[in-house]
Amino acid sequence: MNIDWTKVTEFFAGDTQADKVVPPTGYTAWLTLFSAGAMAFLAVFVLAFSFATGKLAEHWGADLSRSSTIKISAPQDQLDSQTAAVLKVLETTPGVAGARALTDDEQRALLEPWFGPDVPVDALPIPRLIEVIESSAGFDSDGLRLRLSAEAPGATLDDHTRWRQPLIKAANRLRFFGWMSLLLIAASVGAIITLAANAALVANKQVIDVLRLVGARDTYIVHAFVRRFTLRALTGGAVGMLLASFAILLLPTPQAEGGFLTDLGFVGAQWLWPLIVPLLAGCVAFVATRIAATRILRETP
Amino acid sequence: MIELENIAYNYGGGELLSEVSLELSPGGFYFLTGPSGAGKTTLIKLCYGALVPTTGQLKMFGQDRRTMERDDIAQARRRIGVVHQDCQFLNHLSVSDNIALPLMVSNRDLLAEAVNLKELTNWVGLASRAQALPPELSGGERQRAALARALIMSPDVVLADEPTGNVDWEMSQRLLRLLVELNRMGKTIMIATHDLGLIRAAKSQVQARVLRISNRRVQLAGADL
């Protein structure tokens, strides 16, 4: 598509005479400004929500799909030897990027939420846990289980399959809902601005009648209204976008223990995304006003 | 200039005008009279192309209304000055801007037309009210502002629908003198009115043809008018 930049420049530079004919104030002006601003505000929040759900889904999927756990339940005197045997097996297993036995402190930290901070890990017959990190190729779980049963009879592999799948499914659904919300809010932005533009034009029907009476061509009338309404939607959209961005800035900063809500926001280049919102509002207003003005003019002889 | 040939116009399921044939010739002065609701405003609107006849042929400056493009109609309206009873102003613009509106929509240079605009505003006696907004004007001032707007493009035809409907006798005589003066300049004038006094007053100043709408048809009125 070729863009005629001369026309674009002319559009934004405007025609002072044509600009005068559209009433500059009144409830129709506020209607367009307010609806564009309110929808832009909501759109920026939904955009942040979409990014947060996407980030969360990615987090869950990536973390869970890359790690497995081997639990060694053996008599205390065999625990260290079986742990060493398992680590040796893992070293030679294709698809394993790394493996390490959790320290007593780490195991204590895992038990702390249930038993409190003073768990006597040494005195309790607690199984040894080995964290296994998979490479991108992944390993053969069944083959590893066979080898472990031969080398360390007390070792059992838990590749998280049982509870990983529902979580990944939930994460993917969350991501889907995030993007659906974004699409819905974009459609709503379009619908609300279209309705506002239509209502404003119907309210200005008398202006259109007078302009036709004094010999204005359709292109003149359409251009005057389209320019005014597009600039109003752009302005309203920009104000809504700035307010929403400021509100997002005031949210608590992301924290490891904060979870989903503190992840609501933009990071780095993601801050460019809200800039699309007022442009979208302007484009919608441009098309909607053009269609509405042309339709109203067709009803005017 | 404007020719109506065997025109009929239906409105609300009934025939409002029937078998109307009329030609507005250059320099002619016409009165259109008849009772309220007879179709005077409809006939005026047909003349400037705001309505499309149900049957018959309407020609504007030699072009058939039915085959005219919308831009052609807009172009033709620049040659026809219209004064409505309710004036139809843009209330957010000053009187001066409203008078200049036909110039604006024709993309004419307002600076180049400034002298013309000022003279016209003076001529209709609104020099001191040029920056007022239309709702601030009296009925007579509004009619004169509407007349000035109708004349700013120096049209060939002026159509006035009840131009003295909202003004007192003195103001109606003043408006009439303005229209007679325009006719002497060669403009074609048609005034729709039910004010017989206005018609009698005009006939003493100008040779006017009086058309009466009666029973949906347009007839030449008798010598009593």
Side-chain angles (χ1 to χ4, degrees):
Chain A
M1 189 179 75
N2 290 324
I3 297 172
D4 187 341
W5 290 107
T6 316
K7 282 192 174 171
V8 174
T9 313
E10 278 174 10
F11 180 83
F12 282 103
D15 170 352
T16 45
Q17 287 186 19
D19 281 350
K20 274 176 136 178
V21 302
V22 183
T25 54
Y27 83 92
T28 60
W30 288 109
L31 182 72
T32 317
L33 268 174
F34 176 76
S35 52
M39 294 314 288
F41 188 90
L42 293 175
V44 171
F45 264 98
V46 172
L47 198 60
F49 170 75
S50 302
F51 277 124
T53 54
K55 207 186 308 178
L56 190 67
E58 204 172 298
H59 211 66
W60 286 357
D63 282 1
L64 294 171
S65 65
R66 284 180 58 239
S67 70
S68 301
T69 309
I70 292 172
K71 182 179 72 179
I72 302 164
S73 300
Q76 282 300 109
D77 57 330
Q78 294 176 26
L79 206 53
D80 287 343
S81 61
Q82 287 207 27
T83 302
V86 169
L87 289 171
K88 202 169 182 183
V89 167
L90 290 171
E91 274 174 24
T92 56
T93 303
V96 172
R100 69 179 187 91
L102 295 190
T103 62
D104 286 349
D105 285 344
E106 285 172 322
Q107 297 217 154
R108 190 177 288 114
L110 287 173
L111 294 170
E112 199 177 285
W114 284 274
F115 299 107
D118 303 318
V119 188
V121 174
D122 297 339
L124 289 172
I126 296 171
R128 173 73 67 203
L129 297 178
I130 295 175
E131 186 189 25
V132 183
I133 306 297
E134 297 176 31
S135 68
S136 56
F139 57 77
D140 172 13
S141 308
D142 294 336
L144 181 60
R145 278 195 185 93
L146 277 174
R147 289 181 66 198
L148 288 175
S149 63
E151 301 288 334
T156 49
L157 170 68
D158 180 359
D159 61 0
H160 305 159
T161 310
R162 274 180 296 125
W163 54 281
R164 191 174 74 182
Q165 288 307 326
L167 269 179
I168 289 175
K169 211 169 168 181
N172 284 334
R173 277 195 186 153
L174 199 58
R175 194 200 310 255
F176 172 74
F177 285 135
W179 288 109
M180 274 302 290
S181 307
L182 192 61
L183 281 178
L184 282 174
I185 202 79
S188 304
V189 169
I192 296 286
I193 292 175
T194 303
L195 284 173
N198 269 294
L201 271 166
V202 169
N204 280 301
K205 172 85 167 56
Q206 191 234 341
V207 174
I208 293 176
D209 288 342
V210 172
L211 293 174
R212 282 292 294 172
L213 174 74
V214 298
R217 289 197 166 103
D218 288 357
T219 46
Y220 179 93
I221 299 170
V222 169
H223 185 82
F225 277 92
V226 165
R227 182 174 183 279
R228 180 61 67 86
F229 283 36
T230 302
L231 292 181
R232 274 180 196 165
L234 266 173
T235 309
V239 170
M241 182 269 289
L242 286 173
L243 287 176
S245 301
F246 187 63
I248 285 172
L249 270 176
L250 293 180
L251 285 174
T253 49
Q255 290 166 8
E257 63 275 18
F260 173 71
L261 278 176
T262 56
D263 264 357
L264 199 64
F266 303 106
V267 181
Q270 282 180 352
W271 279 103
L272 294 174
W273 280 87
L275 295 176
I276 292 174
V277 174
L279 293 177
L280 173 73
C283 288
V284 169
F286 180 89
V287 174
T289 313
R290 201 175 175 82
I291 292 171
T294 308
R295 180 177 51 75
I296 289 174
L297 278 167
R298 280 189 209 288
E299 292 165 5
T300 313
Chain B
M1 291 193 151
I2 295 173
E3 296 165 62
L4 294 86
E5 196 179 319
N6 211 20
I7 293 276
Y9 184 77
N10 295 352
Y11 180 76
E15 199 173 48
L16 187 61
L17 293 171
S18 176
E19 297 175 27
V20 175
S21 293
L22 173 69
E23 184 179 349
L24 300 186
S25 309
F29 201 113
Y30 304 86
F31 278 104
L32 185 62
T33 187
S36 291
K40 297 188 293 291
T41 301
T42 301
L43 190 57
I44 291 274
K45 285 184 173 177
L46 281 166
C47 285
Y48 71 87
L51 295 175
V52 184
T54 310
T55 59
Q57 191 180 48
L58 164 66
K59 281 187 176 176
M60 298 168 79
F61 306 104
Q63 286 180 283
D64 189 337
R65 168 68 177 83
R66 284 183 199 285
T67 59
M68 286 170 83
E69 299 287 335
R70 290 181 65 83
D71 278 358
D72 296 334
I73 295 168
Q75 195 64 39
R77 281 185 189 160
R78 293 176 189 179
R79 299 177 64 184
I80 304 172
V82 182
V83 182
H84 271 290
Q85 189 175 7
D86 60 0
C87 299
Q88 299 193 353
F89 291 121
L90 298 186
N91 287 335
H92 64 283
L93 294 184
S94 67
V95 168
S96 179
D97 282 341
N98 266 287
I99 293 172
L101 198 57
L103 298 171
M104 289 186 201
V105 304
S106 311
N107 292 319
R108 298 262 280 266
D109 183 358
L110 287 188
L111 278 178
E113 303 280 352
V115 175
N116 188 17
L117 180 65
K118 198 173 175 186
E119 278 178 4
L120 187 59
T121 311
N122 286 340
W123 187 65
V124 293
L126 288 174
S128 62
R129 307 290 279 146
Q131 295 312 312
L133 293 175
E136 297 165 5
L137 300 182
S138 68
E141 287 172 332
R142 287 172 67 83
Q143 292 291 352
R144 281 182 280 147
L147 181 62
R149 185 183 66 187
L151 300 176
I152 191 72
M153 295 287 283
S154 192
D156 301 312
V157 180
V158 176
L159 304 172
D161 186 10
E162 300 282 6
T164 58
N166 294 322
V167 297
D168 57 26
W169 172 252
E170 194 182 330
M171 183 55 67
S172 72
Q173 293 307 300
R174 194 170 162 188
L175 281 168
L176 180 63
R177 279 197 296 276
L178 291 175
L179 290 164
V180 168
E181 202 176 324
L182 283 171
N183 181 245
R184 287 183 182 140
M185 292 176 193
K187 310 288 182 195
T188 303
I189 311 284
M190 181 152 104
I191 303 170
T193 183
H194 61 268
D195 182 355
L196 300 184
L198 183 76
I199 298 173
R200 290 192 187 105
K203 286 185 88 170
S204 64
Q205 303 171 45
V206 71
Q207 197 170 10
R209 293 181 74 193
V210 182
L211 309 164
R212 192 203 308 266
I213 301 181
S214 176
N215 293 325
R216 305 189 302 279
R217 288 171 172 80
V218 175
Q219 301 157 338
L220 198 59
D224 56 323
L225 281 176

